[in-house]
Amino acid sequence: AKNNSAPSNLDSSPLTSFLLATKKLGFNPALAYDVGANRGVWAKEFLAVFPEAEIVLFEPQQHLSQTLRLFAESHPKASYRSCALSASAGKASFFSSPWDVTSRLAEPYGSQSDVNQFYQVDVSTLDQQSLVDGRCPDLIKIDVEGEELSVLSGGAEVLSGVTVVILEVGICCDTTTTALAVTSRMNE
């Protein structure tokens, strides 16, 4: 019989509960993308539930690269790519905030005084990264501080083959990625 539970040392977070529920329904991803990986916390939870899956972490923040390289080195099924994902490839200005979970490609929230620095980062698309991997991911998690719809726009091919997409959205906030905008986009 298959063991569809996570290791007993996992806290029962909402994410872990969701991942366990998908596993119980027979979902068994071979490849996942963590877009906006930050420090790899989400990826760690994912690998605890799906230890045989490969996961690619995408994060452009320069000061997090060492943390994510170490994460990838300590998890044989993980790899790290130092780039942002968006609607089109190239270079873009990345706005770094003192609180790195609010850093983003788009203009910063609030006043410019909230920005520590900005610098150029490499930008790719979901479709380009899928070509690099030679296959479509089964699961994509996107948490990119209000630019989630831009990431989706760069993934027309990928989205036709992916099984699960997890997006961070706001109910009512100063961002283009509100729950209403996402559900409207899903209807297109």
Side-chain angles (χ1 to χ4, degrees):
K2 280 187 174 179
N3 179 3
N4 285 332
S5 61
S8 60
N9 62 345
L10 260 185
D11 291 330
S12 186
S13 74
L15 173 62
T16 298
S17 296
F18 171 77
L19 293 173
L20 287 169
T22 63
K23 187 174 188 173
K24 189 172 183 178
L25 292 170
F27 181 61
N28 190 24
L31 176 63
Y33 284 176
D34 183 356
V35 182
N38 200 268
R39 289 181 166 78
V41 173
W42 185 91
K44 184 177 180 181
E45 279 192 66
F46 172 82
L47 288 171
V49 176
F50 298 108
E52 297 304 314
E54 293 178 46
I55 187 165
V56 181
L57 294 83
F58 298 93
E59 179 58 61
Q61 293 188 73
Q62 295 169 348
H63 71 280
L64 296 174
S65 63
Q66 182 65 19
T67 299
L68 293 173
R69 278 190 193 89
L70 290 172
F71 180 91
E73 288 171 11
S74 66
H75 296 83
K77 299 281 190 164
S79 61
Y80 160 62
R81 297 184 188 153
S82 179
C83 66
L85 298 187
S86 193
S88 59
K91 295 265 188 193
S93 292
F94 188 83
F95 297 90
S96 180
S97 163
W99 191 41
D100 60 39
V101 296
T102 63
S103 298
R104 54 191 264 168
L105 279 181
E107 289 289 326
Y109 299 118
S111 71
Q112 287 281 44
S113 64
D114 293 346
V115 175
N116 260 0
Q117 62 179 333
F118 64 94
Y119 45 88
Q120 293 292 300
V121 297
D122 292 322
V123 180
S124 187
T125 67
L126 284 170
D127 285 342
Q128 286 177 328
Q129 293 301 311
S130 178
L131 290 173
V132 168
D133 294 316
R135 61 193 161 143
C136 183
D138 303 297
L139 182 148
I140 303 171
K141 176 279 242 169
I142 307 171
D143 180 358
V144 291
E145 299 309 307
E147 294 302 304
E148 287 78 6
L149 292 177
S150 293
V151 174
L152 292 175
S153 293
E157 294 297 317
V158 166
L159 293 174
S160 68
V162 71
T163 303
V164 175
V165 177
I166 301 171
L167 295 171
E168 178 186 79
V169 298
I171 301 300
C172 57
C173 52
D174 193 18
T175 177
T176 58
T177 308
T178 62
L180 178 60
V182 169
T183 53
S184 294
R185 169 69 188 270
M186 290 168 52
N187 285 330
E188 292 177 0

